[in-house]
Amino acid sequence: MNDILDSIFTYKNHATVCGLTNELNILYYYQYYLNHDDNVLILTHTLYDANKIFQKLKTYTDDVCLFPMDDFLASVALAISPDLKVRRLETLEQIKSRKKNIIVTNLMGYLRFLPSLAKVDKFNIKISKNETINRIELLEKLDFLGYHRDSLVSMTGEYAVRGFIIDIFPIEAEHPVRIEFFGDDVESIRYFSEDTQLSINKIDSITILPFEEVDTEGKSSLVDYLNNPFVFFVDEQQILNTYKKIQEDIREYIYSKDLPDSTKYMFNYNEIVVDNYIKVETINNLPDADSYNSRDLLKFRGDYDKLKTFCLDNVGKNTVVICLSKDKQIERIKELLPDIQECKIEEKGLNVIKKKINEGFIIGKYIFISEYDIE
């Protein structure tokens, strides 16, 4: 399948692309990621659209992350959603820990002020066994990094103090850690269960990352963190329309609060410099665009006779590929279509491969059918 799509898709810097189905748009991003070494950033105008693309890309790779931001100015100027904040922080940490990623974001995430990339690692707290640490300063730093003190640690972002024991649930950890002190000396570090509060295993050190997007003198954007990524702008005109509305909301908010005109909550759109990009439009037949000839597949809805007729009518004229994720499904299709080829795709033949796709499509002389189209 990948070889077929590689022979169809082209990637011209600064081009506009249209005529791809929703699923082929997803595969268009993914094929670029497979064949290039740079990070990929996919920008949509709303969080809803970003989340749809993210969920579909997860079918093909674990290297995809969502960088979500509420679509409204209030989320920047007033109250930030804690769940989305944690998701963003986790995504930024994954960007730093992996060679390349696919990041999907909405316009508000794209414009968001982030801690200076040059300074962000200075806020990490590393604690090692036998190290001497000022416990008062440690607690002050946990407060500064957004951790909330409670009597018992049960969820990420919390810490608790009992005598010479400090429990912390770091943002990136599966379980909280218990740090036991003898004076200011770290005597032991261990993970423990947030449910039973019992120890799981000892460790020699732990790095605690901020639970807030720390404010720094300099600001960085998501593009800065991704180190000159290849950007796919999805429906650019809608992105620009949304940006215009955001600017109007900002002006109204500043005026209503009697704030200085210079007040800034996020980057201006054109302040974020992108060298390499493609504009992906979800409508067909745009002038001056690289237009693909593709369409969605009609659903069979459990009608296997209809599926059989469709396949036999198209084989020879087209290459038909049925993509299934389970062996039992493949065996049933082989019983229905005894002449079907398995594993290797035969041109203008009838084929079945073990692969999960979100939905089927037709592009040129190729027909791909998913299990969701069949059932």
Side-chain angles (χ1 to χ4, degrees), residues 110-111 113 243 247 250 264 266-272:
Y110 181 80
L111 300 175
F113 283 146
Y243 179 63
Q247 291 296 92
I250 288 174
K264 288 194 71 176
M266 62 191 79
F267 286 101
N268 290 326
Y269 187 70
N270 292 324
E271 286 178 339
I272 304 173

Side-chain angles (χ1 to χ4, degrees), residues 207-245:
T207 298
I208 299 167
L209 305 176
F211 198 70
E212 291 284 358
E213 290 152 319
V214 180
D215 191 19
T216 61
E217 282 187 25
K219 308 293 184 186
S220 292
S221 68
L222 183 58
V223 168
D224 296 325
Y225 273 73
L226 289 167
N227 188 26
N228 193 29
F230 197 95
V231 181
F232 291 98
F233 294 97
V234 182
D235 289 324
E236 185 198 34
Q237 191 56 54
Q238 291 191 58
I239 291 172
L240 295 176
N241 291 342
T242 301
Y243 179 63
K244 184 179 178 181
K245 179 65 168 60

Side-chain angles (χ1 to χ4, degrees), residues 278-297:
I278 287 177
K279 300 172 185 178
V280 177
E281 299 295 330
T282 56
I283 58 175
N284 296 334
N285 302 319
L286 284 173
D288 302 320
D290 291 340
S291 185
Y292 288 89
N293 176 25
S294 73
R295 62 185 189 275
D296 289 313
L297 197 68

